[in-house]
Amino acid sequence: MSWDMVLSQLHYIIPEESKHGTFVGRIAQDLGLDIGEINSRMLHIVSRDENEYFQVNLQNGILFVKETINRESLCPDTPFCIIPLQVIVDKPVQMYRVDVEIEDINDNTPVFSSSVTNLVISELIPSGSQFPLKGAIDPDLGTNSITHYELSASDHFSLDFQKYMNQIRSLKLVLKKTLDREKQSFHNLTLTAYDGGKPRLSGVTHLVIAVEDLNDNAPVFDQPFYQCSVTENAVKGTLVFKLNATDLDQGKNGEISYKFTNMEMEKLSKIFSLDKNTGEIRVKGEVDFETTKMYEIHVDAIDNGDHPMVGHCKVLVSVVDVNDNAPEMMVTSLSVPIPENSPKGTTVAIISVHDRDSGSNGKVSCKMSVIDLPFNVNSAFMGDFSLTVNGSLDRELKDQYEVVLIARDEGFPSLSVSKTLKIDISDINDNLPHFLQLVDTIFIMENNPPGSHVYTASAFDSDIGHNSFITYSIIDSSIDGIPISSYMSINPENGKMFASVSFDHEQVTFFQCHIKATDAGLPPLSSNMTLNIFINDINDNAPIFSPLYSGLKIKTLKSAQPGSAEPGHLITKVKAVDLDSGYNAWTFYKLKDLGGSGKFPFTIAHQTGEITLKRSLTDSDNDEYRLYVIAQDHGEPLMTTETQIIISVVESGEELKFDNQETKVTFEAFSDENIYLVVAICIISTIFLITLIVFSVLRWQKYRVEVNELKENYKICSNTGGSWMYSQHTQYQISSNSSRPKSDLIVFTPNNFQTGNEEQVNPQGLMLSSSYKVRKMKYNSLWLVLKISCISYCFLYNNMLKSKKSKQHTKFYKI
């Protein structure tokens, strides 16, 4: 009992025959379970023999008796009657071991096999002889079993009974004094058996002893007690033991026959046989260690005298266990399916394994047949194992496992039993919706009908159930301040996208739409894809002449400056704009043929729109021409537009007056966005003028200094006035002639002083040469400023041309 209590977590003791509802123990409190959770966690108990002797009140956690238990029928051959229970709670799965010991009560009366026992005793039997008696039977245990026998008062007989471990093993009638058949041929005695229970119960049998004057020597065994063993499941006829008894008498009184005592015949005759002549005990039936581990056989040796005498012995036959029982496996709890995110150590199932053999034959181990599964078998209590998660689970890779459990004992040969558990893996939302393409591109023709289907977004989710149900939506964004929901819509169930409006390529050419796929898991997971949408152009816009070229009036001279009215002379240039793009916007110009217009002295360039003279103008030409210019694109279908240009031909002497309409239109077309360019031109022009003014002032001051120096030099060589005046005049012409800045300065001196005053003239010449170099540097600086200004003008003009939004401004900028 102590060993069993160590292996269990709780041990309760109740008396047998307890009625329904009898309190056993506060099992929830003793196991440390929360009483409020035992109902939701589905607390239940499982017994090994599948009989529901006990039940738990889920309201208060009390274990009580459900069915009346009879210890004698439940544990007939066991000194301690223990019912092992498994207490199992779910969510999470936990198991406890509880043993309930059934305590014996004195509910059985000692009973003799017969109410009357007949004995025959020869009067020659000496005093002190003993005669075995068949004792009473009491199914109770311990003190509740038979503890005492009493014999009614007698001068010749007394009782002798021996106790072993508080149990009476043998009961003998002792002859205190020799019998005398002539005095008393019969003795009537009462044998009473008492148990030790409270209240004390008893049973009675009557002994009828007949006194005979017969055989005076009883057979005697060589020893009163024998021990032997027999192997479990021994075949029939196997010799167990051979008895040997002797009788001192001779003749038939010394002939001995063997037989089981009357009290053993009913039970042992089915298992063992006894040869009455040889005393050999052999196996007759099935010897099962799990049923009976030891047999106690009482044998009588009887002689064949007229008054047979009996000798007695006892044979203890031990049954040797063999491994003849395979383990028994039972799954007491199975929590399936298990989530794929179950952590290591999660209990999946509880397995109870039992082997009826003993010793090493009854020691059982439980393992999986395949070790590379994400599960493990752990030993919980003696004979109980738990199957737990030992690795990562992924339902998308494997949604079911077949775990084969094998329970094997340690006997020889080893016996085993297997059981297959199917473990389903339940899904959790651990996979994002996945688009086949993270970026995709579509093309929509402009002027599409609103509501037309343009694209189908497709995503898939590796999960199942509601975790794989995908809804589609468009992420909020805007196009030029307009929500994208005004352009596109999507069916949340099938991902079909529709154009909410009719697109115009001239307004929107490209935009991006971000599609979101969200599953229905908890929490929901989502992923995005980008859809690039291009609006394809169709030829839905005709070329448009700007107002500058609508009904334009132009005047030209019949004969102007040379070459002005010759063939190829540029009269004007027209420009049409097509709002379409690509090939649809490629404009082609031609003159409309109104019949006879082929005589017009004008022609138009098909690509540039330049109107030039096809021939020279003559006096026979009209004074006014009306040209109808057609602008035609290259789209499909072709689209055209038309404008009228009036060309007036005037004589060379007439004033060429231009209509202010062009200038007006040009100025009206001038936009505010080019103001910064005009400001830049003005700033550069101002810098240039300031530089020119400063240079002129400095140059004038320098000129005055040079004149004064020349006057001083004239005083030195004043004998020839004509030469000085000529020199002064020549120097002035040279220094003031801006068209020839690079000419050398030559100073003429009087002829009569050429030889004598040579040394005085040369220094002055050097001074003038240095002055010339200074002036040359200033001219070069002025030239550099002019070049920088021209480059700046060209750069700004180019930027103006690039920054124009309307090509109608071109002529204004050229002006």
Side-chain angles (χ1 to χ4, degrees):
M1 181 180 66
S2 300
W3 174 255
D4 188 73
M5 291 178 64
V6 170
L7 296 177
S8 64
Q9 293 176 293
L10 290 177
H11 190 92
Y12 297 110
I13 301 176
I14 63 169
E16 66 173 328
E17 303 298 333
S18 297
K19 303 299 180 182
H20 174 77
T22 301
F23 173 84
V24 178
R26 301 183 182 275
I27 189 170
Q29 181 177 351
D30 295 340
L31 291 176
L33 300 175
D34 189 358
I35 297 178
E37 295 181 356
I38 60 175
N39 192 5
S40 61
R41 295 183 65 185
M42 301 175 65
L43 184 143
H44 61 283
I45 59 175
V46 179
S47 60
R48 181 171 296 172
D49 55 359
E50 299 181 357
N51 291 326
E52 296 183 0
Y53 296 111
F54 304 95
Q55 192 172 354
V56 178
N57 188 331
L58 298 181
Q59 302 299 325
N60 51 27
I62 293 177
L63 179 68
F64 61 92
V65 176
K66 184 179 180 183
E67 293 181 5
T68 302
I69 303 173
N70 189 320
R71 191 203 64 79
E72 286 76 21
S73 61
L74 183 63
C75 307
D77 299 321
T78 306
F80 295 97
C81 187
I82 295 176
I83 300 177
L85 301 177
Q86 289 181 346
V87 179
I88 300 174
V89 291
D90 297 331
K91 302 177 183 179
V93 177
Q94 291 178 317
M95 184 192 71
Y96 305 90
R97 175 74 178 270
V98 178
D99 289 345
V100 180
E101 181 181 351
I102 308 303
E103 188 179 36
D104 182 59
I105 64 173
N106 192 23
D107 59 339
N108 292 284
T109 302
V111 178
F112 288 90
S113 60
S114 176
S115 60
V116 177
T117 303
N118 295 313
L119 295 176
V120 178
I121 302 175
S122 175
E123 62 179 353
L124 298 177
I125 298 297
S127 60
S129 298
Q130 296 180 353
F131 305 94
L133 296 176
K134 187 176 182 180
I137 298 175
D138 192 344
D140 296 328
L141 297 175
T143 58
N144 294 327
S145 64
I146 298 173
T147 59
H148 185 68
Y149 285 93
E150 287 184 0
L151 185 66
S152 61
S154 173
D155 296 331
H156 294 85
F157 298 95
S158 64
L159 284 177
D160 182 23
F161 51 90
Q162 295 179 356
K163 290 186 177 181
Y164 177 71
M165 294 183 67
N166 296 326
Q167 291 186 357
I168 298 176
R169 295 296 184 181
S170 62
L171 178 64
K172 297 178 181 179
L173 183 65
V174 181
L175 182 62
K176 296 190 299 181
K177 186 171 65 173
T178 58
L179 298 175
D180 190 354
R181 188 187 62 79
E182 288 73 24
K183 290 182 179 181
Q184 188 177 353
S185 61
F186 290 94
H187 295 269
N188 292 319
L189 301 176
T190 301
L191 179 61
T192 305
Y194 294 94
D195 61 21
K198 294 181 181 181
R200 191 178 185 187
L201 303 178
S202 62
V204 177
T205 186
H206 297 281
L207 301 178
V208 179
I209 303 171
V211 181
E212 291 184 359
D213 188 13
L214 295 173
N215 193 11
D216 58 350
N217 287 293
V220 178
F221 289 94
D222 54 359
Q223 63 184 55
F225 177 77
Y226 300 96
Q227 284 185 330
C228 63
S229 62
V230 63
T231 304
E232 180 185 13
N233 298 331
V235 298
K236 293 180 180 181
T238 301
L239 178 63
V240 179
F241 195 76
K242 184 178 182 182
L243 299 172
N244 183 26
T246 59
D247 196 321
L248 297 178
D249 296 326
Q250 295 182 352
K252 65 177 183 179
N253 290 330
E255 295 176 358
I256 299 173
S257 61
Y258 302 91
K259 70 173 183 178
F260 294 125
T261 59
N262 292 332
M263 60 181 178
E264 302 288 347
M265 284 296 295
E266 181 179 357
K267 182 178 182 181
L268 294 177
S269 60
K270 297 180 180 179
I271 302 174
F272 301 102
S273 65
L274 175 63
D275 192 317
K276 66 178 181 177
N277 296 320
T278 61
E280 291 180 349
I281 301 175
R282 295 183 179 272
V283 176
K284 179 183 178 181
E286 183 180 354
V287 180
D288 189 2
F289 175 84
E290 286 71 41
T291 302
T292 305
K293 298 175 177 59
M294 180 179 289
Y295 293 93
E296 186 176 322
I297 304 174
H298 295 267
V299 180
D300 293 338
I302 305 172
D303 59 23
N304 292 329
D306 293 334
H307 300 284
M309 298 188 73
V310 180
H312 307 280
C313 77
K314 182 169 61 175
V315 180
L316 293 178
V317 181
S318 300
V319 180
V320 179
D321 181 44
V322 296
N323 193 24
D324 61 338
N325 291 282
E328 299 174 358
M329 184 185 300
M330 181 176 63
V331 179
T332 58
S333 178
L334 181 62
S335 298
V336 291
I338 59 175
E340 60 179 324
N341 64 339
S342 298
K344 288 185 178 181
T346 302
T347 301
V348 180
I350 296 177
I351 305 99
S352 179
V353 182
H354 174 68
D355 197 320
R356 297 176 60 194
D357 296 322
S358 63
S360 60
N361 295 330
K363 292 182 180 180
V364 183
S365 62
C366 185
K367 296 181 180 179
M368 296 187 302
S369 62
V370 181
I371 61 175
D372 59 348
L373 296 178
F375 301 98
N376 190 27
V377 178
N378 304 306
S379 178
F381 300 101
M382 184 177 181
D384 295 323
F385 300 88
S386 62
L387 181 66
T388 59
V389 176
N390 192 40
S392 60
L393 303 176
D394 192 346
R395 189 209 61 80
E396 288 71 36
L397 298 178
K398 192 173 182 63
D399 60 353
Q400 188 184 69
Y401 292 89
E402 285 192 359
V403 180
V404 180
L405 300 175
I406 299 178
R408 188 181 301 276
D409 59 29
E410 298 181 5
F412 183 82
S414 178
L415 300 178
S416 63
V417 66
S418 64
K419 194 174 188 67
T420 301
L421 300 180
K422 290 187 178 181
I423 302 175
D424 295 323
I425 309 300
S426 62
D427 182 58
I428 64 168
N429 192 27
D430 59 343
N431 288 280
L432 295 171
H434 180 71
F435 285 99
L436 297 178
Q437 291 180 319
L438 296 180
V439 179
D440 201 358
T441 302
I442 62 172
F443 298 88
I444 303 176
M445 299 300 294
E446 68 173 327
N447 299 333
N448 60 293
S452 58
H453 174 249
V454 296
Y455 185 74
T456 299
S458 179
F460 67 92
D461 198 314
S462 300
D463 297 320
I464 60 174
H466 64 276
N467 293 330
S468 64
F469 182 76
I470 299 175
T471 56
Y472 300 89
S473 60
I474 296 177
I475 299 177
D476 291 337
S477 60
S478 60
I479 303 173
D480 296 334
I482 300 175
I484 195 170
S485 57
S486 300
Y487 291 93
M488 304 296 294
S489 63
I490 190 168
N491 189 321
E493 296 181 358
N494 54 27
K496 290 186 176 181
M497 294 186 63
F498 303 92
S500 301
V501 297
S502 179
F503 289 104
D504 188 356
H505 174 80
E506 287 69 41
Q507 295 181 356
V508 178
T509 59
F510 167 79
F511 63 92
Q512 283 186 336
C513 180
H514 300 283
I515 303 172
K516 182 178 183 180
T518 307
D519 59 27
L522 290 175
L525 302 177
S526 62
S527 61
N528 301 334
M529 75 163 289
T530 300
L531 183 63
N532 296 320
I533 302 175
F534 291 88
I535 308 302
N536 284 347
D537 180 56
I538 63 174
N539 194 26
D540 59 342
N541 290 282
I544 300 175
F545 288 99
S546 63
L548 178 64
Y549 305 113
S550 180
L552 181 63
K553 294 183 178 180
I554 299 175
K555 294 181 180 181
T556 184
L557 297 175
K558 285 185 179 181
S559 57
Q561 295 178 358
S564 63
E566 295 178 356
H569 175 70
L570 176 63
I571 304 300
T572 185
K573 181 178 180 179
V574 295
K575 186 68 176 178
V577 178
D578 197 319
L579 298 180
D580 294 324
S581 61
Y583 205 66
N584 296 327
W586 184 17
T587 306
F588 176 83
Y589 301 95
K590 64 180 180 179
L591 295 176
K592 186 176 181 181
D593 189 2
L594 299 178
S597 60
K599 299 179 180 180
F600 284 174
F602 306 102
T603 185
I604 188 170
H606 299 311
Q607 304 298 332
T608 61
E610 293 180 348
I611 299 176
T612 60
L613 283 176
K614 184 168 57 176
R615 58 178 174 80
S616 299
L617 296 176
T618 62
D619 295 336
S620 62
D621 289 324
N622 298 331
D623 294 337
E624 183 178 274
Y625 290 92
R626 293 181 181 270
L627 302 182
Y628 295 91
V629 181
I630 296 175
Q632 173 184 298
D633 58 26
H634 287 73
E636 187 66 34
L638 296 174
M639 301 191 74
T640 61
T641 188
E642 181 181 318
T643 187
Q644 181 183 11
I645 296 177
I646 302 174
I647 299 177
S648 298
V649 180
V650 298
E651 294 296 335
S652 58
E654 297 181 8
E655 182 182 359
L656 187 62
K657 296 181 179 180
F658 293 95
D659 198 340
N660 293 331
Q661 181 181 1
E662 178 180 349
T663 305
K664 181 179 180 181
V665 172
T666 302
F667 279 101
E668 289 178 354
F670 184 70
S671 60
D672 294 337
E673 65 181 29
N674 295 315
I675 292 178
Y676 75 96
L677 295 175
V678 176
V679 171
I681 292 174
C682 294
I683 292 174
I684 292 176
S685 301
T686 302
I687 294 173
F688 173 74
L689 293 176
I690 293 174
T691 303
L692 187 61
I693 293 171
V694 170
F695 176 79
S696 301
V697 171
L698 294 176
R699 182 66 189 89
W700 176 252
Q701 292 179 352
K702 186 64 178 175
Y703 173 74
R704 293 186 62 184
V705 171
E706 291 178 353
V707 171
N708 293 331
E709 289 179 353
L710 290 175
K711 289 180 178 180
E712 293 293 331
N713 292 333
Y714 175 75
K715 291 179 180 180
I716 297 175
C717 51
S718 57
N719 55 350
T720 305
S723 299
W724 181 89
M725 292 296 296
Y726 176 78
S727 175
Q728 182 73 14
H729 178 71
T730 304
Q731 181 181 358
Y732 177 75
Q733 288 183 347
I734 292 174
S735 61
S736 63
N737 190 359
S738 60
S739 62
R740 297 175 63 186
K742 294 184 180 181
S743 300
D744 294 334
L745 295 178
I746 301 175
V747 178
F748 294 95
T749 57
N751 295 326
N752 54 356
F753 288 95
Q754 288 182 357
T755 58
N757 296 330
E758 182 178 359
E759 293 180 357
Q760 295 179 358
V761 174
N762 289 335
Q764 185 65 26
L766 292 175
M767 180 187 66
L768 294 177
S769 177
S770 175
S771 175
Y772 166 73
K773 290 181 180 179
V774 171
R775 290 196 303 273
K776 185 176 182 181
M777 290 178 60
K778 291 182 180 180
Y779 282 121
N780 290 338
S781 300
L782 178 61
W783 180 248
L784 179 62
V785 171
L786 289 173
K787 288 200 293 183
I788 292 175
S789 300
C790 291
I791 292 173
S792 299
Y793 278 116
C794 293
F795 176 75
L796 292 175
Y797 173 71
N798 185 41
N799 287 340
M800 287 182 180
L801 294 180
K802 289 183 180 179
S803 64
K804 296 193 310 296
K805 283 189 176 180
S806 175
K807 296 182 179 180
Q808 297 174 0
H809 298 171
T810 303
K811 189 170 183 178
F812 168 75
Y813 288 119
K814 287 182 179 180
I815 295 173

